[in-house]
Amino acid sequence: MTKQKNREYKKSRKKPHHSKKQNSKQSSPQGNRKNEKSQGKPNTTDKHQRGKKRVTIEVTCSGLTSEGKGIIQWKGKQLEVANLLPGETAEVFVSKKGRFFNTELKRVINTSEDRANLPRLSYNEGVGCQIQHMNEQAQKRFKQNIIDELMKPFGKPEPIITMEHPYDYRNKNVMTFGMNKKRQIISGLYAENTHQIIPMERSIIHDPKADEIIQTIKGMMKSFKMQPYNEDNGRGFLRHVLVRVGKKSGEIMVVLVAASPMFKGKNNFVKALRKAHPEITTILLNVNKRNDSMVLGNQEKVLFGKGTITDTLCGLEFEISAKSFYQINPVQTEKLYTKAIEMAELTGEETVVDAYCGIGTIGLVASQQAGKVIGVELNKDAVRDAIRNSKRNGVKNARFYQGDAGEFMVQMAEHGEDVDVVFMDPPRSGSDEAFLSSLVKLKPKRVVYVSCNPETQARDLKYLVKYGYKVGEIQPVDMFPQTVHVESVAKLELK
Ligand code: SAH
């Protein structure tokens, strides 16, 4: 059972924070409609988890945190409860662990109109989907509020662009392998802020075929004597399986991430996997000996096929390597890119920089309406993909460089280059001082800032506004339905 940690605090709500590993487990989401209220009186006390005491309290939820958790008051403290909605009265387990309080929803007593009508969850389908218990309208309101609040200093954002079928959208699934106490092989996702694997067979946001392939691999392991890796003693072989699906091309890549390059019986394994899933177009072995939370290591070997998959976005074909970044929701990505390129107001003459360009997607789509495009990206494999992708699509006016985007911009500024438009799409941590200070020296007419973390986007916008830009349109896009994450694109113009 997943516990939600609550820091003991009484004041304002926690600052918006979106961690990559936001996992929470759905527990007893459906309640019956009764209208009882009480202010956090303990109902019962029981022994739970190696004798630790927990109490059951009945409470009414007063609001939501930016992580989608319900806020409750108990004994003068503000606590957070996953899967609980404002206005709902519920029974909640509370236990204390050090300075923290763990909470867990036991039962909803009166259900909010915002609650999604979920089917009974037979697997641990809630992991990673922090707000799947909210219906579509409630999710839309929740995300709009986050963006509206953060962007207040810059103007009023447009209504968020939602997804018509907000399920099965992820084109990349990664599952971690391990062993449970009964020494059975399990695959799933880490519980929030831990390295404890919550077994998961199916998620409502994963590509169904990708989930199926991972289950097949799990089922094959015993007969191939393939051991899951054990983080504690460093023994075993298989750490993760990553499946990437070209949603339009139908191509499928399977990456077996192992602790060692010694893959006994690999030919038979590959043969059996291909027999079970003839739709797989390439299989790779990736070796990761590290002890951090990165899934992929540097060493890679193609076991079958060409080692990459292709997919189509905005009418162009893209080749994607295992280690390259590629947007995980292609349906919404097309809407995002279309909006970003519209904001750039290109006429066919401009010199355009695509910073943090990944495999070159934004720059290559924009190149059709620009004079020339210069892309910069840190990841070597992604840059190689970007160069291949410009050739594949017959693009002649785009160049891609490998390096730190900040350093690259510093050099451009030192050389006094002429740049008309900059697209920037940094990772969650946002951009840095080197990049931003050079950007304002280069003085492009327009900057289009695409972000998967509106908090760091707001921080960087503040800098750009201070140094001569004004923020125009701000367009949130729901790239990650059922989760707390939200994408946003902002247009900036030189004052
Ligand atoms: N624009 C692309 C990729 C966006 S994700 C797309 O839409 O697909 C952010 C990208 O920034 C990743 O590809 C990551 O490898 C890259 N990146 C991270 N830090 C960087 C840095 N310091 N300099 C350049 N690129 C960086």
Side-chain angles (χ1 to χ4, degrees), residues 313 323-327 333 336-337 354-363 376-379 382 403-407 424-430 432 450 452 487:
L313 263 187
K323 278 184 275 178
S324 298
F325 176 89
Y326 183 62
Q327 299 284 356
T333 300
L336 174 77
Y337 286 178
D354 179 8
Y356 311 90
C357 69
I359 60 168
T361 41
I362 295 176
V376 58
E377 159 66 42
L378 195 59
N379 179 314
D404 172 74
E407 286 171 19
M424 56 185 288
D425 184 6
R428 295 188 59 74
S429 51
D432 58 13
V450 181
C452 56
E487 188 95 8

Side-chain angles (χ1 to χ4, degrees), residues 233-252:
N233 60 21
R235 292 206 195 112
F237 179 75
L238 189 67
R239 299 184 74 153
H240 316 278
V241 173
L242 181 155
V243 179
R244 212 167 216 176
V245 180
K247 290 270 191 187
K248 287 217 175 113
S249 67
E251 292 178 21
I252 299 178

Side-chain angles (χ1 to χ4, degrees), residues 271-286:
K271 208 165 141 192
L273 182 56
R274 285 182 57 204
K275 185 156 180 232
H277 292 285
E279 62 278 16
I280 296 174
T281 50
T282 189
I283 303 175
L284 295 99
L285 175 70
N286 177 285

Side-chain angles (χ1 to χ4, degrees), residues 340-463:
I341 290 166
E342 181 192 308
M343 286 179 178
E345 294 181 43
L346 300 172
T347 64
E349 300 294 320
E350 293 80 4
T351 297
V352 173
V353 169
D354 179 8
Y356 311 90
C357 69
I359 60 168
T361 41
I362 295 176
L364 291 174
V365 177
S367 71
Q368 298 163 319
Q369 300 163 44
K372 68 172 178 185
V373 171
I374 302 163
V376 58
E377 159 66 42
L378 195 59
N379 179 314
K380 286 192 186 75
D381 291 3
V383 177
R384 192 193 52 210
D385 290 348
I387 294 167
R388 268 204 298 240
N389 288 330
S390 53
K391 287 192 190 126
R392 176 185 272 272
N393 292 289
V395 174
K396 302 236 160 44
N397 59 343
R399 295 280 173 278
F400 293 94
Y401 300 91
Q402 193 258 321
D404 172 74
E407 286 171 19
F408 188 83
M409 291 296 271
V410 170
Q411 279 176 20
M412 292 211 32
E414 278 170 5
H415 291 118
E417 304 270 354
D418 275 335
V419 175
D420 302 302
V421 173
V422 171
F423 288 100
M424 56 185 288
D425 184 6
R428 295 188 59 74
S429 51
S431 202
D432 58 13
E433 176 91 30
F435 184 95
L436 296 171
S437 62
S438 307
L439 178 66
V440 298
K441 273 185 211 141
L442 283 166
K443 290 195 174 28
K445 282 197 294 280
R446 268 181 292 285
V447 177
V448 178
Y449 191 148
V450 181
S451 167
C452 56
N453 184 353
E455 207 187 332
T456 53
Q457 184 182 37
R459 180 199 68 200
D460 295 346
L461 290 183
K462 196 172 157 200
Y463 184 101

Side-chain angles (χ1 to χ4, degrees), residues 116-261:
N117 200 3
L118 290 172
R120 262 207 107 67
L121 300 169
S122 47
Y123 308 113
N124 289 323
E125 287 171 2
V127 183
C129 296
Q130 307 88 352
I131 58 168
Q132 65 171 3
H133 60 294
M134 291 183 199
N135 62 28
E136 281 174 41
Q137 279 309 314
Q139 290 194 21
K140 188 174 168 182
R141 226 182 307 123
F142 171 76
K143 296 193 180 194
Q144 189 76 45
N145 279 343
I146 289 179
I147 294 279
D148 287 355
E149 275 301 309
L150 284 165
M151 298 299 157
K152 239 182 206 157
F154 315 110
K156 191 173 161 36
E158 299 296 315
I160 186 167
I161 299 175
T162 51
M163 188 176 186
E164 218 167 285
H165 179 74
Y167 307 102
D168 306 332
Y169 60 82
R170 280 193 71 106
N171 57 13
K172 185 178 102 170
N173 294 4
V174 185
M175 294 272 198
T176 301
F177 282 71
M179 200 93 89
N180 65 13
K181 289 206 174 88
K182 293 182 192 155
R183 299 201 54 77
Q184 291 159 326
I185 296 172
I186 54 168
S187 65
L189 299 180
Y190 288 132
E192 188 178 10
N193 301 326
T194 74
H195 270 207
Q196 180 208 341
I197 300 168
I198 305 271
M200 178 198 258
E201 292 176 14
R202 174 81 193 108
S203 160
I204 57 169
I205 61 172
H206 285 179
D207 182 272
K209 185 51 92 182
D211 274 347
E212 203 185 306
I213 291 171
I214 292 172
Q215 288 311 302
T216 302
I217 293 173
K218 190 175 82 181
M220 285 166 58
M221 287 170 70
K222 205 171 170 191
S223 57
F224 282 86
K225 297 197 172 57
M226 186 190 276
Q227 292 291 318
Y229 180 70
N230 182 329
E231 278 190 331
D232 298 327
N233 60 21
R235 292 206 195 112
F237 179 75
L238 189 67
R239 299 184 74 153
H240 316 278
V241 173
L242 181 155
V243 179
R244 212 167 216 176
V245 180
K247 290 270 191 187
K248 287 217 175 113
S249 67
E251 292 178 21
I252 299 178
M253 167 193 283
V254 175
V255 186
L256 305 165
V257 185
S260 136

